[in-house]
Amino acid sequence: QVQLVESGGGLVQPGGSLRLSCKASGFTLGDSPIGWFRQAPGKEREGVACIRRTDGERYYADSVKGRFLISTNNARDTVYLEMNTVTPEDAATYYCATVECYRNRLHYRGGPLDYWGQGTQVTVSS
């Protein structure tokens, strides 16, 4: 099955850290820009961060800038979202997807060659 698979979610205390992973299953990420979105119950989906791996361009939403870090491994088959200084407002289901990634925004096209993961839940509680 061709899909993106997120992992690494779980329970984290306020102020703590968590690292999410996004890996392709059934296909290779290649040079596709990858983004992270999140959605909490009752809230709109928010584009959190993206990385354009051809030139290293990154985007971060203001809500996470300075706290979250998006990166890729040397094999370029996994994209990470490192979450630091987590707050209760960061609690959500986090999804990764193939996106268009720009310096000031990210965009999920939803085309036939675009992929969206099943999500991993992040709970913030002491």
Side-chain angles (χ1 to χ4, degrees):
Q1 188 174 1
V2 178
Q3 59 181 348
L4 290 172
V5 180
E6 303 94 338
S7 62
L11 176 65
V12 59
Q13 293 185 344
S17 297
L18 204 62
R19 189 176 78 163
L20 308 182
S21 300
C22 172
K23 194 162 187 175
S25 174
F27 73 107
T28 57
L29 288 178
D31 290 331
S32 297
I34 300 296
W36 285 93
F37 296 83
R38 67 184 180 185
Q39 188 162 23
K43 294 188 177 180
E44 291 188 358
R45 186 175 73 191
E46 178 186 17
V48 174
C50 66
I51 184 168
R52 198 166 65 203
R53 295 170 303 139
T54 51
D55 61 3
E57 185 71 75
R58 291 168 169 84
Y59 160 80
Y60 296 98
D62 288 343
S63 57
V64 306
K65 198 173 295 182
R67 300 188 298 119
F68 288 13
L69 178 66
I70 189 168
S71 63
T72 188
N73 62 347
N74 288 336
R76 299 175 64 182
D77 62 357
T78 304
V79 174
Y80 303 101
L81 184 69
E82 184 177 333
M83 306 168 59
N84 300 304
T85 320
V86 170
T87 73
E89 287 69 38
D90 295 320
T93 300
Y94 284 73
Y95 304 89
C96 66
T98 54
V99 299
E100 293 177 346
C101 182
Y102 305 97
R103 184 177 303 176
N104 58 356
R105 66 183 179 90
L106 75 162
H107 173 63
Y108 177 66
R109 295 163 298 195
L113 297 180
D114 292 312
Y115 302 98
W116 184 273
Q118 85 290 347
T120 186
Q121 187 167 354
V122 173
T123 301
V124 182
S125 176
S126 55

